[in-house]
Amino acid sequence: MNLVIYILRRLAISIPVLLVGTFLCFVMVAGTGDPLGELRQNPQISKEALAATAAKLGLDQGIIPRYFTWLGDFLTGNWGISIAQGNALAPVAPKVMAALGVTFKLVVGAEILALIVGIIVGVLAAVKQYSIIDYIATTLAFLLFSMPIFCVAIVLKRYAIEINGWVRDLGLSDVLGNPWLRTTSPEQLKTDGVGDFITSTIGAYLLPTLSIMAISFAAYSRFQRASMLEVMGSDYVRTARAKGLANGRVIFRHAFRNALIPVTTLFSVNFGSVLAGAIITETVFNWHGMGTLLVEAVTKNDTQVMMGWLVVIASLVIIANLIADLMYGILDPRIRVG
């Protein structure tokens, strides 16, 4: 019962935060410029047509009525239409959801792998403090921290091209696929058969996944190491050792669970930022996801698409933080009781 009350309480907090976030996003997007600027520069469009378009989009109203009109439509599934030239007044929802699907498949896998590997490496570095494992993990983490993600992506892409050349020179192209390490998104692949589809898809996901995973792994491993060292120095862990409990039982039964709480916080915050910031990785590897969609919307001042993009990202950040709150209650029952 306490867990149910805890979940309802967190939901009650999250919904107003999301509403405030949507309003702030709407105000900021509305102030970016004239959504009909490109249409006004077209001499073939009459003033009557412009006025009709403005009325259709609600641009002839004040900011507050426009927001509530937009919010009502959004909640019923009407996200508006794209007003950028060349999009033929296409609905926003399919565009955003299609882009989200591309980015989501890329980011979710990379973040889960980064979290798992980061936790394992962080725990090993803490348990084997000042050992060769700890020094290697620390050096690798700081090296990845110091490299911007675009640098990691470009380096991986360049060496992938060289490896593909070596594979071709060795005559292994027919065995591994040509090229095996893909530098473009899966939607651009032309495959022949199930085997080629599998290897090509893995090759297409490998490089961008490693690019996103590298930076996140560095953060997770360092946070996990620091948190694990702090917990292992606490009184209840020393008491467990004094009782003669086995070292593995002390680490995984008493220390590990509490040491996950700071990493859970980092994951919830980092997931939203990585999802929104995947534009660099998508650009390097030519993925048409949320990053590409945002750049196109900003360039064309397509306010409806920008609004849909911002609300989706804000919603995912709220959801990620809500999941983190629920994980706190599972990892430490004292949190949900309090």
Side-chain angles (χ1 to χ4, degrees):
M1 180 61 67
N2 287 334
L3 182 59
V4 174
I5 295 175
Y6 178 77
I7 293 173
L8 293 176
R9 190 166 55 202
R10 291 301 176 184
L11 283 172
I13 296 173
S14 300
I15 293 175
V17 170
L18 183 58
L19 289 175
V20 172
T22 60
F23 177 74
L24 293 177
C25 289
F26 191 88
V27 172
M28 288 187 292
V29 169
T32 57
D34 184 8
L36 302 180
E38 291 189 12
L39 295 178
R40 297 185 194 279
Q41 297 175 3
N42 190 339
Q44 298 179 352
I45 299 179
S46 64
K47 294 182 179 181
E48 291 77 11
L50 285 172
T53 303
K56 183 178 180 179
L57 298 175
L59 299 177
D60 56 344
Q61 304 176 10
I63 188 68
I64 302 299
R66 284 169 56 192
Y67 168 73
F68 283 106
T69 300
W70 171 86
L71 180 62
D73 292 339
F74 191 89
L75 293 177
T76 58
N78 180 14
W79 293 17
I81 55 177
S82 175
I83 59 177
Q85 291 189 5
N87 287 339
L89 300 179
V92 169
K95 290 172 62 68
V96 175
M97 298 311 295
L100 178 64
V102 173
T103 301
F104 212 71
K105 289 185 291 185
L106 174 61
V107 170
V108 169
E111 284 296 286
I112 290 177
L113 288 174
L115 182 64
I116 294 173
V117 177
I119 288 175
I120 294 173
V121 172
V123 170
L124 288 175
V127 174
K128 304 291 185 180
Q129 188 179 17
Y130 303 131
S131 66
I132 186 65
I133 295 177
D134 187 19
Y135 288 131
I136 292 175
T138 300
T139 302
L140 180 61
F142 281 120
L143 177 63
L144 294 175
F145 263 134
S146 65
M147 298 178 63
I149 190 170
F150 74 85
C151 182
V152 176
I154 291 175
V155 169
L156 287 176
K157 184 173 183 178
R158 175 179 177 181
Y159 281 105
I161 294 174
E162 293 186 3
I163 291 174
N164 287 333
W166 297 338
V167 169
R168 183 176 58 253
D169 294 340
L170 292 173
L172 299 176
S173 298
D174 295 335
V175 178
L176 298 177
N178 186 22
W180 182 61
L181 293 174
R182 306 279 181 165
T183 57
T184 58
S185 63
E187 62 195 44
Q188 300 175 3
L189 299 178
K190 295 181 179 180
T191 58
D192 183 16
V194 178
D196 189 29
F197 173 78
I198 295 175
T199 57
S200 298
T201 302
I202 294 175
Y205 274 91
L206 182 61
L207 298 180
T209 297
L210 288 176
S211 300
I212 296 176
M213 179 182 171
I215 310 299
S216 297
F217 157 77
Y220 295 144
S221 64
R222 298 307 297 166
F223 265 74
Q224 184 64 49
R225 178 185 182 276
S227 179
M228 196 71 181
L229 288 175
E230 181 180 356
V231 172
M232 289 175 65
S234 59
D235 293 337
Y236 69 89
V237 172
R238 287 198 295 266
T239 301
R241 292 185 187 277
K243 290 181 178 180
L245 296 179
N247 189 49
R249 183 178 177 86
V250 171
I251 292 173
F252 293 103
R253 182 71 180 270
H254 296 278
F256 178 67
R257 186 171 179 174
N258 286 334
L260 284 176
I261 293 178
V263 181
T264 302
T265 303
L266 177 63
F267 179 79
S268 65
V269 175
N270 192 58
F271 182 78
S273 62
V274 170
L275 190 65
I279 176 175
I280 297 174
T281 305
E282 291 178 2
T283 301
V284 173
F285 294 103
N286 199 23
W287 283 59
H288 301 293
M290 293 292 280
T292 305
L293 181 67
L294 178 63
V295 171
E296 293 178 352
V298 172
T299 302
K300 298 178 180 179
N301 197 24
D302 197 342
T303 56
Q304 295 289 343
V305 174
M306 282 191 284
M307 195 62 210
W309 188 96
L310 289 168
V311 172
V312 168
I313 294 298
S315 300
L316 292 174
V317 170
I318 295 293
I319 292 172
N321 281 274
L322 177 61
I323 294 174
D325 288 339
L326 299 181
M327 289 300 299
Y328 297 156
I330 295 173
L331 294 172
D332 190 350
R334 294 173 300 177
I335 295 177
R336 65 172 183 261
V337 172

